[in-house]
Amino acid sequence: MKMKKRILSLTAVLLLALGITSEVNMTTASAASPYKTYTVDGYGSTQETQTAYIAENTVIGFGNEKFKAPNDMTIADDGTVYVADTGNSRVLIGDTKGNLIRKIGEGTLVKPMGIFVTDEKHIYVADHDAEAVFEFDEYGNLLNKYGRPTSPLYGEGVKYQPLKVVVNDAGIMFVVCESNTNGIVEISPLDGGTFLGYFGTNYAATSMQDIIMRAILTKEQRAKMVSNIPSTPDNLAIDDKGLIYTVTRGDENTTLKRLNIAGVNMLQSAKNMGIYDEAPAAVAVGNHDNVYVVSQVGYIYEYNDNGEPIFIFGGNDDGTQRVGLSSLVTSIQVDKNDNIYTLDSDKAQIQIYSPSEFTQKLHNALYLYSKGKYSKAREPLQQVLEMNSLFDYANKAMGRCYFQEEEYDKALTYAKLAVDTDGYSDAFWETRNVWLKKNIVPALGIILLLYIIYKVIQILDKKKNILAGPRGGLNRLKENTFVSNFCYSKYFMRHPIDGSYGIAREGRASWLAPTAILVIFMIEYVVNKYLCGFLQKTVREGRYELASDIGMIAIAIIALTACNYLVCTINEGEGTVKKIYTYFCYSLLPYIVFTPVNFVLSHILTNNEQFLITLVTDLIYIWVVVLVVLGIKEVNNYTGKETAKIIGLTFFTILIVALLIFIIYVLWAQVFEFISAVFGEVVYRLGY
């Protein structure tokens, strides 16, 4: 009995030790991650988040066969890994544990750069130096060799040096060739390889400067300019629907493309919010309508179906040889379990990353959402948000789920948390429709009642003069100098030429009334900036910079007034400081009058109707500029040509003053730093 107790106690201790060891190992692995994981919030800024993928291990070869400068790989549904072992002129086939299955292509392949395997286990190899695409069966028997297309449409003198290849269900090959700027070469397997044309050609970037230069230069000068030719895609992939994905360096927001059967990019350039890599190496399609892009130095980007970034992780090896960091990546693949494989040509190894629990839950939610199971998708999304409540992508997806289930109030809440303007606009549209259906009749009744009351008061005033008292008080108030000058700003806004004459020659210039208008402008600017409708807001929620905003406006008015006065004085202008200050402040009245209209509209309009706000905003800016120009012209008694000159000189003077202030600031900072260093040294010496 005692022996039995001892055995049980020993077993319990061993189990406890194993549990502790397992927990410690897991914690250590997470803490020892050699890279950080980032996501993109609703404002387009990268934020650190939980580890999305964990670097598990590396594969440096299959069996006793080591990789040598490998350039491409692919993974079959059964987990078999196919590697284009470029340095050894062969293809190695193995499993993820590093076991060798077979070698193929020895003696046939010269410089295999790309590889693709169909569902029937046909192996296509893009061979750069052999200038052909080879087709093997799963056992390595050569089935076909597709050389340079003989069609004249291919282009006379255009080389055929295949780098990458993918094949659709019909057996049509899409081949990326080195330096072929015409696009992806599309080849049918019929008749030993029939050239079908070029596919997904990139556009050549043309700037306005290039257009102007080419228009004014001679033919000889244009010939010396750098040729403006489209970029060649760096790599490609294909999904189950037959859509082609390409990555191209130097194409900025169109670095990643999803091409339909017509070769048209289906990803909107704005969707990835400027998150792209300047040197993409490869692209792979995930299992949840997501896409992976890897850079040459090892940074991995995961995008959703719309091209919106989800995760960014990985990085360049700084010489520490840590698992998860890379030197020269040439390929990326994803297996059915969401494990990521990257091929490092420089290290001659495959890096394997497994998804964390956080990522698995997110992918599960993506899958359920794509299948229309919105209620079920909410559960894993909620779990993701419990792990990271600030993960905007999960908040966005949660809002979209509630929208699909017609719970629009909750959809608005999550869309706002994620700064999802499109989702918010859609949900607000539906919410507004519901409100209008319930309240349109009472609202019209209230408007009608107010109109009737207004008419009754108007009639009674005509008959019995019931508003005589208030009207007399208002007239007496207008006789006040401050009120009179304040109200004169309205006349200046409607009749700027006559209004400018009043400022210049009828004593309408003052300090107090324009300052009151300036204060009202500041208040409206701040209120509209921080409290406008969600779809119009350009600042982060909860972040206020009131002192900076007010200071910026005050400095701008002071700079404009001072610099314009200096320029006008030199150029025989008739305006004094008070007059110039007055017409600058009075010119702000259109903003004061119409900004409340924009403020109200921002709370009741959706994305489809935002053009109304843009229209009102443009009207405000144009009106303000017209008032400023006419004020400068009329108050200073300038001609149109002189006015244009004064405006240019004013802005130039502001620039010079700003530059001088900056130089003084830098010099003073250096002096202050020197004095601080001397003071610190003195204190140190005395203390010593």
Side-chain angles (χ1 to χ4, degrees):
M1 188 71 178
K2 290 182 179 180
M3 181 62 68
K4 185 175 180 181
K5 289 182 177 180
R6 288 178 180 177
I7 293 173
L8 290 173
S9 300
L10 182 60
T11 302
V13 171
L14 288 173
L15 290 173
L16 180 61
L18 287 172
I20 294 174
T21 304
S22 175
E23 184 177 352
V24 170
N25 287 339
M26 186 179 295
T27 305
T28 304
S30 175
S33 178
Y35 51 79
K36 295 180 179 180
T37 301
Y38 297 91
T39 187
V40 179
D41 63 17
Y43 295 98
S45 302
T46 53
Q47 303 289 338
E48 188 174 350
T49 186
Q50 284 95 332
T51 299
Y53 293 86
I54 302 168
E56 294 285 356
N57 61 335
T58 60
V59 177
I60 61 174
F62 297 139
N64 295 323
E65 303 293 335
K66 305 302 181 184
F67 303 140
K68 182 180 179 182
N71 264 284
D72 201 9
M73 69 174 174
T74 189
I75 299 175
D77 291 338
D78 60 3
T80 304
V81 183
Y82 300 77
V83 177
D85 193 15
T86 308
N88 291 315
S89 301
R90 63 185 179 179
V91 171
L92 288 180
I93 306 174
D95 59 26
T96 56
K97 296 181 180 179
N99 298 313
L100 178 66
I101 297 176
R102 69 176 55 89
K103 301 177 288 183
I104 68 171
E106 291 182 316
T108 301
L109 300 174
V110 182
K111 190 178 180 181
M113 297 292 290
I115 188 169
F116 183 84
V117 179
T118 66
D119 294 338
E120 295 77 20
K121 297 295 182 68
H122 284 203
I123 305 166
Y124 290 79
V125 181
D127 195 311
H128 178 276
D129 286 4
E131 298 186 356
V133 174
F134 294 93
E135 180 185 1
F136 300 91
D137 65 14
E138 65 176 309
Y139 301 106
N141 299 312
L142 181 62
L143 300 177
N144 290 293
K145 177 182 178 181
Y146 302 99
R148 183 185 185 281
T150 58
S151 171
L153 297 176
Y154 182 76
E156 184 178 354
V158 179
K159 293 183 178 181
Y160 183 69
Q161 297 174 322
L163 295 176
K164 305 296 177 184
V165 60
V166 296
V167 184
N168 65 14
D169 293 338
I172 296 175
M173 292 163 277
F174 297 85
V175 185
V176 172
C177 295
E178 183 178 9
S179 302
N180 193 333
T181 59
N182 296 315
I184 300 169
V185 180
E186 190 174 357
I187 300 175
S188 169
L190 299 177
D191 300 326
T194 302
F195 177 64
L196 300 180
Y198 288 106
F199 179 83
T201 305
N202 290 320
Y203 293 102
T206 303
S207 65
M208 182 58 66
Q209 180 181 355
D210 291 335
I211 295 174
I212 296 173
M213 292 297 290
R214 291 182 183 277
I216 63 177
L217 294 179
T218 63
K219 183 177 180 181
E220 291 75 15
Q221 290 173 326
R222 289 197 298 269
K224 294 179 181 179
M225 293 180 64
V226 177
S227 299
N228 187 26
I229 57 177
S231 304
T232 303
D234 289 277
N235 215 320
L236 76 171
I238 189 169
D239 65 11
D240 295 336
K241 306 180 187 71
L243 300 176
I244 304 293
Y245 295 76
T246 66
V247 285
T248 308
R249 73 185 73 188
D251 272 15
E252 299 184 348
N253 280 337
T254 55
T255 291
L256 171 65
K257 291 182 179 180
R258 181 172 65 223
L259 306 173
N260 60 17
I261 192 172
V264 177
N265 183 20
M266 299 171 63
L267 290 180
Q268 299 179 21
S269 60
K271 287 294 184 180
N272 64 14
M273 303 161 71
I275 306 300
Y276 57 86
D277 200 280
E278 295 181 353
V283 58
V285 182
N287 303 304
H288 313 284
D289 292 329
N290 52 342
V291 187
Y292 299 86
V293 174
V294 64
S295 71
Q296 289 184 352
V297 295
Y299 289 99
I300 301 173
Y301 301 75
E302 181 179 354
Y303 300 92
N304 70 357
D305 186 47
N306 292 323
E308 299 167 319
I310 303 175
F311 295 119
I312 306 167
F313 64 97
N316 185 238
D317 190 356
D318 56 1
T320 58
Q321 300 294 320
R322 299 182 68 182
V323 176
L325 300 179
S326 306
S327 296
L328 180 61
V329 178
T330 55
S331 181
I332 183 171
Q333 293 294 325
V334 183
D335 67 16
K336 63 181 180 180
N337 296 317
D338 292 339
N339 296 310
I340 299 175
Y341 301 76
T342 61
L343 180 64
D344 193 318
S345 181
D346 189 43
K347 290 184 175 182
Q349 66 182 20
I350 298 173
Q351 303 248 30
I352 304 175
Y353 306 81
S354 63
S356 64
E357 180 186 2
F358 181 76
T359 304
Q360 289 175 344
K361 293 182 182 300
L362 181 63
H363 284 172
N364 184 30
L366 289 175
Y367 173 78
L368 293 171
Y369 183 88
S370 66
K371 299 300 180 183
K373 301 177 181 179
Y374 307 114
S375 297
K376 293 183 178 180
R378 291 210 313 266
E379 182 178 350
L381 283 174
Q382 187 60 48
Q383 293 172 347
V384 169
L385 290 173
E386 288 174 359
M387 299 173 73
N388 184 355
S389 61
L390 299 178
F391 192 64
D392 281 348
Y393 186 77
N395 282 316
K396 179 188 292 187
M398 183 73 84
R400 299 295 176 91
C401 287
Y402 278 119
F403 177 80
Q404 295 294 341
E405 294 183 317
E406 299 183 2
E407 296 188 44
Y408 302 123
D409 290 337
K410 293 182 179 179
L412 284 173
T413 300
Y414 280 99
K416 196 170 185 179
L417 287 173
V419 199
D420 179 15
T421 54
D422 291 337
Y424 186 94
S425 177
D426 293 340
F428 183 73
W429 176 283
E430 299 295 342
T431 303
R432 188 180 64 182
N433 286 345
V434 172
W435 186 91
L436 288 174
K437 290 178 181 178
K438 292 181 178 179
N439 300 283
I440 187 64
V441 174
L444 291 176
I446 292 173
I447 293 173
L448 180 61
L449 178 62
L450 292 175
Y451 179 75
I452 293 172
I453 293 173
Y454 169 75
K455 283 297 183 181
V456 169
I457 293 175
Q458 196 176 43
I459 293 171
L460 291 175
D461 185 47
K462 285 182 179 180
K463 292 183 177 180
K464 299 185 178 182
N465 202 21
I466 62 173
L467 297 179
R471 193 161 34 244
L474 185 61
N475 290 332
R476 287 191 297 272
L477 182 63
K478 287 182 179 180
E479 293 175 359
N480 180 274
T481 302
F482 167 75
V483 175
S484 177
N485 288 333
F486 186 88
C487 294
Y488 188 76
S489 62
K490 177 183 176 183
Y491 182 79
F492 176 81
M493 183 182 76
R494 297 176 59 186
H495 307 284
I497 295 177
D498 292 340
S500 296
Y501 182 84
I503 293 173
R505 294 171 180 80
E506 294 179 354
R508 288 294 183 173
S510 66
W511 293 106
L512 193 57
T515 301
I517 290 175
L518 181 61
V519 170
I520 296 172
F521 172 83
M522 291 177 176
I523 294 172
E524 284 196 10
Y525 176 83
V526 170
V527 170
N528 188 62
K529 180 178 179 179
Y530 296 105
L531 300 179
C532 66
F534 175 74
L535 297 178
Q536 281 290 311
K537 190 168 291 187
T538 57
V539 295
R540 288 179 179 268
E541 289 284 348
R543 294 193 180 182
Y544 302 96
E545 300 174 347
L546 301 181
S548 175
D549 294 330
I550 294 173
M552 178 188 68
I553 296 171
I555 291 172
I557 288 293
I558 293 172
L560 280 170
T561 302
C563 293
N564 187 245
Y565 171 71
L566 291 174
V567 172
C568 290
T569 301
I570 295 172
N571 290 272
E572 300 179 353
E574 299 178 6
T576 62
V577 175
K578 183 189 290 187
K579 293 176 182 178
I580 292 172
Y581 176 73
T582 299
Y583 66 65
F584 272 132
C585 291
Y586 281 0
S587 297
L588 300 175
L589 196 62
Y591 182 94
I592 295 173
V593 172
F594 291 104
T595 293
V597 177
N598 266 354
F599 183 81
V600 173
L601 290 177
S602 70
H603 286 277
I604 61 176
L605 299 183
T606 64
N607 277 341
N608 294 331
E609 302 143 352
Q610 293 294 308
F611 72 92
L612 292 174
I613 296 178
T614 303
L615 183 63
V616 175
T617 302
D618 291 343
L619 174 64
I620 291 172
Y621 290 152
I622 293 171
W623 204 332
V624 168
V625 170
V626 169
L627 292 178
V628 169
V629 172
L630 291 178
I632 294 173
K633 179 180 181 297
E634 298 299 328
V635 171
N636 292 282
N637 197 21
Y638 286 139
T639 64
K641 185 177 180 180
E642 290 173 332
T643 303
K645 173 186 172 183
I646 293 301
I647 292 173
L649 289 174
T650 299
F651 282 108
F652 179 75
T653 305
I654 292 173
L655 180 63
I656 295 299
V657 171
L659 182 61
L660 288 174
I661 292 173
F662 175 75
I663 292 173
I664 293 171
Y665 170 79
V666 171
L667 292 175
W668 172 248
Q670 291 179 348
V671 171
F672 181 78
E673 184 179 351
F674 173 75
I675 294 173
S676 298
V678 172
F679 180 77
E681 183 68 19
V682 171
V683 171
Y684 172 76
R685 294 294 182 183
L686 292 176
Y688 182 77

